[in-house]
Amino acid sequence: MVQRQLPNVRELTELMKFKKPTLNATDRRLEKALTIADLRAIAKRRTPKAPFDYTEGAAEGELSLARARQAFQDIEFHPSILRNVPVVDTTREVLGGPSALPFGIAPTGFTRLMQTEGEGAGAGAAGAAGIPFTLSTLGTTSIEDVKAANPDGRNWFQLYVMRDREISYGLVRRAASAGFDTLFFTVDTPVAGARLRDKRNGFSIPPQLTPGTVINAIPRPAWWINFLTTPKLEFASLSSTGGTVGELLDSAMDPTISLEDLDVIREMWPGRIMIKGVQTVEDAKILAGKGVDGIVLSNHGGRQLDRAPIPFHLLPHVVREVGADMEVHLDTGIMSGADIVASIALGARFTLIGRAYLYGLMAGGRRGVDRTIEILRTEIVRTMKLLEVATLDELGPQHVTQLARLTPIAKPVADAAEAAASSKPRTVRTPRSTAATKQAASKPASAKPSSRSVTK
């Protein structure tokens, strides 16, 4: 039998210590967010549907994004034991400079539409955390204002090659003049992907009011008040901003971009240069031969070609082929510190976060971005301690297994299909001269045409 007694007043007093209340509503919301998914839920409540879906959505059926996220879930960690790891070091030397964590903030377009503090909040939070910030060509804060928001930190610039090359060249010069140390030459956007959510929502720049947007705005007055009472959106490169995002991209981007453009930009840019949007081992090898400083394995967050390769699956193969020659970075699908640790273990030198940062921004402006970084930092440290590794350099393939869910067709079957395709005769027709064409046309129908085909 348990012996019972009257409650001890002193013991009750010790138990009844209430937490000091948080008076600021934003801080109160952010304190409850323990994961990036929690920040996303707050962002969805506070942001109108069109800008939230622009952030959240991807191209066509959104399979590329879903598969990228699933790939991170389909991993198995292999922890060590009894290694005596009381503290861990999360610092990383990347592109010739330091980063306090193995991730930076990725370039995102139209960011002030998500939340009015925009890139300034991202750059300031990155600088405070000691990690790099990347400004997009389609950013809504100028190069110079980002530098002012992060004067002592590392700023990187993401470049699209525009139809009007002089626009791109001018941006390169401005970024170099402002002290940005790395250029991300982006190669996966010759045209805009089919972002169906934006089309269905009528999402445009600037936002257009419709009965639907008005109704959707009623429970989110803070977003509209901020949008209408802050300076007009400023784009880093576009002078014309009317139309849907897809229309803007198609009018600005150039599908004729080539390696010659890379050569021109390299001559202009004094700092490090990365190629963003690499999706095959073969292209990685070509770029290694061009002597660039690194590549970013990325399918643009699933926003361009749906069913594109999964960067995380591609990572170990690319690192094996070119990892000794240049840095390999990774983005797309990263939603936790464990995702980042797994990427580093499989050979990524660095990672970039896009949507995760924007969820924090929409949830609470600058403080929301700070919370995003803190959540990821906590998850990275905890995962490293559980794996019992003291530094990022100790992480290796022995710590992670990629589990198979989407498996390619069996190799013998693929080889047979390729052999069958290559064995088919291919006919190449030699163009006829005008005279020969007229002569052939004047022959009787029963006449046999002269053979001008070559079968290879």
Side-chain angles (χ1 to χ4, degrees):
M1 292 290 293
V2 176
Q3 185 177 357
R4 298 187 181 277
Q5 64 184 28
L6 291 173
N8 185 304
V9 176
R10 182 177 298 175
E11 291 177 354
L12 282 174
T13 303
E14 291 177 356
L15 292 172
M16 297 177 64
K17 291 182 179 179
F18 295 99
K19 180 182 177 182
K20 185 179 178 181
T22 302
L23 300 179
N24 185 279
T26 300
D27 290 339
R28 197 162 54 243
R29 285 195 304 271
L30 295 175
E31 283 178 3
K32 295 178 181 178
L34 304 180
T35 65
I36 300 302
D38 291 339
L39 290 174
R40 176 192 174 277
I42 298 171
K44 188 173 184 179
R45 291 197 302 268
R46 297 184 57 79
T47 311
K49 180 176 175 58
F52 181 83
D53 275 0
Y54 171 74
T55 301
E56 173 92 346
E60 300 184 37
E62 304 188 354
L63 296 175
S64 288
L65 177 58
R67 290 174 180 176
R69 287 182 174 164
Q70 188 65 58
F72 282 113
Q73 295 175 35
D74 291 346
I75 64 170
E76 181 177 84
F77 281 122
H78 306 294
S80 302
I81 59 170
L82 302 176
R83 296 295 177 89
N84 187 19
V85 183
V87 296
V88 298
D89 180 4
T90 63
T91 59
R92 195 65 151 168
E93 185 80 9
V94 55
L95 294 170
S99 178
L101 295 161
F103 69 89
I105 292 181
T108 60
F110 313 111
T111 307
R112 283 188 56 222
L113 280 173
M114 312 305 109
Q115 203 273 353
T116 189
E117 295 180 53
E119 291 90 352
I131 65 175
F133 175 83
T134 316
L135 175 64
S136 169
T137 291
L138 301 180
T140 45
T141 302
S142 71
I143 291 169
E144 294 75 16
D145 285 347
V146 164
K147 177 63 176 179
N150 186 22
D152 301 316
R154 300 188 66 188
N155 294 308
W156 297 344
F157 186 72
Q158 176 264 333
L159 180 73
Y160 288 120
V161 174
M162 319 290 272
R163 290 180 186 273
D164 184 347
R165 294 294 196 268
E166 284 304 319
I167 293 176
S168 298
Y169 299 159
L171 291 170
V172 171
R173 297 186 189 100
R174 283 173 60 190
S177 178
F180 284 49
D181 65 73
T182 299
L183 188 74
F184 281 67
F185 185 92
T186 300
V187 296
D188 58 3
T189 315
V191 297
R195 302 174 191 180
L196 303 183
R197 291 203 206 191
D198 296 343
K199 293 183 179 180
R200 291 179 180 126
N201 289 329
F203 181 58
S204 62
I205 311 296
Q208 299 296 308
L209 292 178
T210 66
T213 57
V214 171
I215 293 171
N216 188 251
I218 291 173
R220 301 170 177 85
W223 187 94
W224 284 101
I225 291 170
N226 285 333
F227 179 76
L228 296 172
T229 60
T230 52
K232 182 181 178 181
L233 294 179
E234 177 187 1
F235 291 86
S237 62
L238 298 179
S239 57
S240 174
T241 58
T244 66
V245 173
E247 289 168 348
L248 288 171
L249 286 173
D250 281 337
S251 67
M253 303 310 164
D254 191 348
T256 68
I257 181 175
S258 68
L259 287 171
E260 293 179 0
D261 291 295
L262 173 59
D263 293 336
V264 172
I265 297 298
R266 289 188 69 186
E267 287 294 320
M268 300 175 61
W269 180 252
R272 304 292 179 107
I273 189 164
M274 298 284 290
I275 310 303
K276 185 176 185 296
V278 178
Q279 299 177 67
T280 68
V281 174
E282 291 73 20
D283 282 339
K285 289 180 179 178
I286 291 171
L287 292 167
K290 297 288 286 185
V292 300
D293 295 291
I295 58 174
V296 183
L297 299 180
S298 169
N299 64 27
H300 212 100
R303 298 165 75 83
Q304 284 298 108
L305 176 66
D306 206 10
R307 301 178 178 84
I310 300 168
F312 184 60
H313 282 175
L314 192 61
L315 174 62
H317 306 289
V318 171
V319 169
R320 183 172 58 248
E321 294 293 334
V322 304
D325 302 318
M326 59 185 179
E327 292 190 16
V328 179
H329 296 193
L330 182 82
D331 76 13
T332 303
I334 294 173
M335 293 294 286
S336 75
D339 298 342
I340 294 170
V341 170
S343 300
I344 300 300
L346 290 182
R349 185 68 191 171
F350 204 64
T351 62
L352 296 164
I353 60 164
R355 286 181 178 88
Y357 140 64
L358 292 177
Y359 291 145
L361 179 68
M362 290 186 286
R366 162 64 192 272
R367 284 174 288 177
V369 183
D370 289 334
R371 185 64 180 149
T372 294
I373 296 171
E374 184 55 35
I375 287 171
L376 293 175
R377 184 202 311 271
T378 299
E379 292 174 340
I380 290 169
V381 169
R382 181 172 60 244
T383 303
M384 290 177 66
K385 285 185 175 181
L386 289 171
L387 290 173
E388 298 206 10
V389 294
T391 68
L392 297 173
D393 288 338
E394 290 181 24
L395 288 167
Q398 70 274 16
H399 292 109
V400 178
T401 295
Q402 292 178 311
L403 305 177
R405 182 182 297 257
L406 294 173
T407 56
I409 296 174
K411 195 70 169 73
V413 177
D415 290 344
E418 184 178 351
S422 63
S423 66
K424 290 181 180 178
R426 185 162 58 93
T427 301
V428 179
R429 298 190 180 279
T430 304
R432 297 183 178 187
S433 66
T434 304
T437 303
K438 290 181 179 178
Q439 182 180 2
S442 65
K443 287 185 179 181
S446 59
K448 294 183 179 179
S450 60
S451 174
R452 293 181 179 270
S453 65
V454 180
T455 302
K456 294 185 178 181

PDB file of all heavy atoms in Angstrom, residues 75 312 315-317 319 341-348 395-398 400-402:
ATOM      1  N   ILE A  75      15.823   7.995 -45.949  1.00  0.00           N
ATOM      2  CA  ILE A  75      17.213   7.752 -45.595  1.00  0.00           C
ATOM      3  C   ILE A  75      17.257   7.027 -44.250  1.00  0.00           C
ATOM      4  O   ILE A  75      16.306   7.084 -43.460  1.00  0.00           O
ATOM      5  CB  ILE A  75      18.058   9.039 -45.505  1.00  0.00           C
ATOM      6  CG1 ILE A  75      17.545   9.948 -44.384  1.00  0.00           C
ATOM      7  CG2 ILE A  75      18.111   9.762 -46.825  1.00  0.00           C
ATOM      8  CD1 ILE A  75      18.475  11.096 -44.087  1.00  0.00           C
ATOM      9  N   PHE A 312      19.223  15.155 -54.471  1.00  0.00           N
ATOM     10  CA  PHE A 312      19.807  14.379 -53.378  1.00  0.00           C
ATOM     11  C   PHE A 312      20.222  12.984 -53.837  1.00  0.00           C
ATOM     12  O   PHE A 312      21.220  12.437 -53.369  1.00  0.00           O
ATOM     13  CB  PHE A 312      18.814  14.292 -52.224  1.00  0.00           C
ATOM     14  CG  PHE A 312      19.341  13.588 -51.003  1.00  0.00           C
ATOM     15  CD1 PHE A 312      20.459  14.054 -50.340  1.00  0.00           C
ATOM     16  CD2 PHE A 312      18.707  12.447 -50.509  1.00  0.00           C
ATOM     17  CE1 PHE A 312      20.946  13.407 -49.204  1.00  0.00           C
ATOM     18  CE2 PHE A 312      19.176  11.800 -49.379  1.00  0.00           C
ATOM     19  CZ  PHE A 312      20.302  12.278 -48.728  1.00  0.00           C
ATOM     20  N   LEU A 315      23.472  13.395 -55.899  1.00  0.00           N
ATOM     21  CA  LEU A 315      24.614  13.919 -55.151  1.00  0.00           C
ATOM     22  C   LEU A 315      25.807  12.973 -55.066  1.00  0.00           C
ATOM     23  O   LEU A 315      26.929  13.355 -55.455  1.00  0.00           O
ATOM     24  CB  LEU A 315      24.144  14.346 -53.755  1.00  0.00           C
ATOM     25  CG  LEU A 315      25.211  14.788 -52.756  1.00  0.00           C
ATOM     26  CD1 LEU A 315      25.938  16.028 -53.262  1.00  0.00           C
ATOM     27  CD2 LEU A 315      24.582  15.045 -51.381  1.00  0.00           C
ATOM     28  N   PRO A 316      25.669  11.745 -54.553  1.00  0.00           N
ATOM     29  CA  PRO A 316      26.880  10.914 -54.390  1.00  0.00           C
ATOM     30  C   PRO A 316      27.558  10.578 -55.708  1.00  0.00           C
ATOM     31  O   PRO A 316      28.783  10.435 -55.755  1.00  0.00           O
ATOM     32  CB  PRO A 316      26.349   9.659 -53.679  1.00  0.00           C
ATOM     33  CG  PRO A 316      24.876   9.656 -53.893  1.00  0.00           C
ATOM     34  CD  PRO A 316      24.459  11.074 -54.036  1.00  0.00           C
ATOM     35  N   HIS A 317      26.784  10.454 -56.788  1.00  0.00           N
ATOM     36  CA  HIS A 317      27.371  10.138 -58.097  1.00  0.00           C
ATOM     37  C   HIS A 317      28.199  11.311 -58.619  1.00  0.00           C
ATOM     38  O   HIS A 317      29.297  11.125 -59.150  1.00  0.00           O
ATOM     39  CB  HIS A 317      26.265   9.785 -59.088  1.00  0.00           C
ATOM     40  CG  HIS A 317      25.358   8.691 -58.618  1.00  0.00           C
ATOM     41  ND1 HIS A 317      25.760   7.375 -58.533  1.00  0.00           N
ATOM     42  CD2 HIS A 317      24.069   8.725 -58.171  1.00  0.00           C
ATOM     43  CE1 HIS A 317      24.758   6.636 -58.069  1.00  0.00           C
ATOM     44  NE2 HIS A 317      23.726   7.435 -57.851  1.00  0.00           N
ATOM     45  N   VAL A 319      29.523  13.778 -56.759  1.00  0.00           N
ATOM     46  CA  VAL A 319      30.678  13.968 -55.871  1.00  0.00           C
ATOM     47  C   VAL A 319      31.776  12.974 -56.222  1.00  0.00           C
ATOM     48  O   VAL A 319      32.964  13.321 -56.238  1.00  0.00           O
ATOM     49  CB  VAL A 319      30.246  13.823 -54.397  1.00  0.00           C
ATOM     50  CG1 VAL A 319      31.464  13.745 -53.486  1.00  0.00           C
ATOM     51  CG2 VAL A 319      29.347  14.989 -53.989  1.00  0.00           C
ATOM     52  N   VAL A 341      22.382  17.499 -42.678  1.00  0.00           N
ATOM     53  CA  VAL A 341      23.428  16.582 -42.221  1.00  0.00           C
ATOM     54  C   VAL A 341      23.586  15.420 -43.208  1.00  0.00           C
ATOM     55  O   VAL A 341      24.711  15.029 -43.542  1.00  0.00           O
ATOM     56  CB  VAL A 341      23.104  16.060 -40.808  1.00  0.00           C
ATOM     57  CG1 VAL A 341      24.048  14.915 -40.422  1.00  0.00           C
ATOM     58  CG2 VAL A 341      23.214  17.189 -39.785  1.00  0.00           C
ATOM     59  N   ALA A 342      22.467  14.879 -43.689  1.00  0.00           N
ATOM     60  CA  ALA A 342      22.542  13.777 -44.653  1.00  0.00           C
ATOM     61  C   ALA A 342      23.232  14.216 -45.941  1.00  0.00           C
ATOM     62  O   ALA A 342      24.015  13.460 -46.533  1.00  0.00           O
ATOM     63  CB  ALA A 342      21.136  13.263 -44.954  1.00  0.00           C
ATOM     64  N   SER A 343      22.963  15.444 -46.376  1.00  0.00           N
ATOM     65  CA  SER A 343      23.592  15.960 -47.597  1.00  0.00           C
ATOM     66  C   SER A 343      25.097  16.107 -47.423  1.00  0.00           C
ATOM     67  O   SER A 343      25.873  15.741 -48.317  1.00  0.00           O
ATOM     68  CB  SER A 343      22.973  17.320 -47.958  1.00  0.00           C
ATOM     69  OG  SER A 343      21.585  17.212 -48.174  1.00  0.00           O
ATOM     70  N   ILE A 344      25.508  16.633 -46.279  1.00  0.00           N
ATOM     71  CA  ILE A 344      26.950  16.771 -46.025  1.00  0.00           C
ATOM     72  C   ILE A 344      27.604  15.399 -45.954  1.00  0.00           C
ATOM     73  O   ILE A 344      28.703  15.187 -46.484  1.00  0.00           O
ATOM     74  CB  ILE A 344      27.181  17.546 -44.715  1.00  0.00           C
ATOM     75  CG1 ILE A 344      26.557  18.951 -44.791  1.00  0.00           C
ATOM     76  CG2 ILE A 344      28.668  17.633 -44.399  1.00  0.00           C
ATOM     77  CD1 ILE A 344      27.104  19.832 -45.880  1.00  0.00           C
ATOM     78  N   ALA A 345      26.934  14.434 -45.340  1.00  0.00           N
ATOM     79  CA  ALA A 345      27.493  13.089 -45.224  1.00  0.00           C
ATOM     80  C   ALA A 345      27.717  12.448 -46.587  1.00  0.00           C
ATOM     81  O   ALA A 345      28.677  11.700 -46.782  1.00  0.00           O
ATOM     82  CB  ALA A 345      26.575  12.214 -44.373  1.00  0.00           C
ATOM     83  N   LEU A 346      26.844  12.757 -47.545  1.00  0.00           N
ATOM     84  CA  LEU A 346      26.968  12.162 -48.880  1.00  0.00           C
ATOM     85  C   LEU A 346      27.817  13.011 -49.819  1.00  0.00           C
ATOM     86  O   LEU A 346      27.849  12.758 -51.014  1.00  0.00           O
ATOM     87  CB  LEU A 346      25.587  11.927 -49.482  1.00  0.00           C
ATOM     88  CG  LEU A 346      24.782  10.813 -48.804  1.00  0.00           C
ATOM     89  CD1 LEU A 346      23.443  10.622 -49.506  1.00  0.00           C
ATOM     90  CD2 LEU A 346      25.552   9.497 -48.801  1.00  0.00           C
ATOM     91  N   GLY A 347      28.497  14.027 -49.269  1.00  0.00           N
ATOM     92  CA  GLY A 347      29.511  14.713 -50.057  1.00  0.00           C
ATOM     93  C   GLY A 347      29.257  16.155 -50.394  1.00  0.00           C
ATOM     94  O   GLY A 347      30.133  16.816 -50.979  1.00  0.00           O
ATOM     95  N   ALA A 348      28.078  16.696 -50.098  1.00  0.00           N
ATOM     96  CA  ALA A 348      27.832  18.104 -50.402  1.00  0.00           C
ATOM     97  C   ALA A 348      28.739  18.979 -49.541  1.00  0.00           C
ATOM     98  O   ALA A 348      28.866  18.752 -48.338  1.00  0.00           O
ATOM     99  CB  ALA A 348      26.370  18.459 -50.137  1.00  0.00           C
ATOM    100  N   LEU A 395      31.601  13.562 -40.994  1.00  0.00           N
ATOM    101  CA  LEU A 395      30.443  12.935 -41.632  1.00  0.00           C
ATOM    102  C   LEU A 395      30.864  12.299 -42.954  1.00  0.00           C
ATOM    103  O   LEU A 395      31.644  12.874 -43.718  1.00  0.00           O
ATOM    104  CB  LEU A 395      29.344  13.973 -41.900  1.00  0.00           C
ATOM    105  CG  LEU A 395      28.583  14.494 -40.680  1.00  0.00           C
ATOM    106  CD1 LEU A 395      27.772  15.728 -41.044  1.00  0.00           C
ATOM    107  CD2 LEU A 395      27.674  13.399 -40.123  1.00  0.00           C
ATOM    108  N   GLY A 396      30.332  11.119 -43.229  1.00  0.00           N
ATOM    109  CA  GLY A 396      30.661  10.442 -44.471  1.00  0.00           C
ATOM    110  C   GLY A 396      29.565   9.495 -44.890  1.00  0.00           C
ATOM    111  O   GLY A 396      28.560   9.306 -44.184  1.00  0.00           O
ATOM    112  N   PRO A 397      29.719   8.868 -46.058  1.00  0.00           N
ATOM    113  CA  PRO A 397      28.694   7.936 -46.554  1.00  0.00           C
ATOM    114  C   PRO A 397      28.374   6.803 -45.586  1.00  0.00           C
ATOM    115  O   PRO A 397      27.290   6.218 -45.662  1.00  0.00           O
ATOM    116  CB  PRO A 397      29.324   7.397 -47.852  1.00  0.00           C
ATOM    117  CG  PRO A 397      30.308   8.438 -48.265  1.00  0.00           C
ATOM    118  CD  PRO A 397      30.837   9.025 -46.995  1.00  0.00           C
ATOM    119  N   GLN A 398      29.309   6.505 -44.683  1.00  0.00           N
ATOM    120  CA  GLN A 398      29.046   5.431 -43.719  1.00  0.00           C
ATOM    121  C   GLN A 398      27.927   5.803 -42.740  1.00  0.00           C
ATOM    122  O   GLN A 398      27.386   4.920 -42.050  1.00  0.00           O
ATOM    123  CB  GLN A 398      30.321   5.095 -42.933  1.00  0.00           C
ATOM    124  CG  GLN A 398      30.784   6.151 -41.946  1.00  0.00           C
ATOM    125  CD  GLN A 398      31.660   7.233 -42.567  1.00  0.00           C
ATOM    126  OE1 GLN A 398      31.690   7.377 -43.782  1.00  0.00           O
ATOM    127  NE2 GLN A 398      32.377   7.963 -41.731  1.00  0.00           N
ATOM    128  N   VAL A 400      25.012   7.336 -43.676  1.00  0.00           N
ATOM    129  CA  VAL A 400      23.704   7.479 -44.331  1.00  0.00           C
ATOM    130  C   VAL A 400      23.521   6.402 -45.398  1.00  0.00           C
ATOM    131  O   VAL A 400      24.437   6.135 -46.183  1.00  0.00           O
ATOM    132  CB  VAL A 400      23.560   8.860 -45.012  1.00  0.00           C
ATOM    133  CG1 VAL A 400      22.217   8.971 -45.730  1.00  0.00           C
ATOM    134  CG2 VAL A 400      23.692   9.979 -43.989  1.00  0.00           C
ATOM    135  N   THR A 401      22.342   5.820 -45.425  1.00  0.00           N
ATOM    136  CA  THR A 401      21.930   4.948 -46.529  1.00  0.00           C
ATOM    137  C   THR A 401      20.701   5.550 -47.188  1.00  0.00           C
ATOM    138  O   THR A 401      19.737   5.924 -46.514  1.00  0.00           O
ATOM    139  CB  THR A 401      21.578   3.536 -46.028  1.00  0.00           C
ATOM    140  OG1 THR A 401      22.751   2.914 -45.505  1.00  0.00           O
ATOM    141  CG2 THR A 401      21.025   2.680 -47.166  1.00  0.00           C
ATOM    142  N   GLN A 402      20.760   5.700 -48.508  1.00  0.00           N
ATOM    143  CA  GLN A 402      19.595   6.161 -49.264  1.00  0.00           C
ATOM    144  C   GLN A 402      18.730   4.942 -49.577  1.00  0.00           C
ATOM    145  O   GLN A 402      19.147   4.034 -50.285  1.00  0.00           O
ATOM    146  CB  GLN A 402      20.025   6.849 -50.558  1.00  0.00           C
ATOM    147  CG  GLN A 402      20.734   8.176 -50.332  1.00  0.00           C
ATOM    148  CD  GLN A 402      21.186   8.804 -51.644  1.00  0.00           C
ATOM    149  OE1 GLN A 402      21.797   8.151 -52.471  1.00  0.00           O
ATOM    150  NE2 GLN A 402      20.892  10.082 -51.829  1.00  0.00           N
TER     151      GLN A 402
END
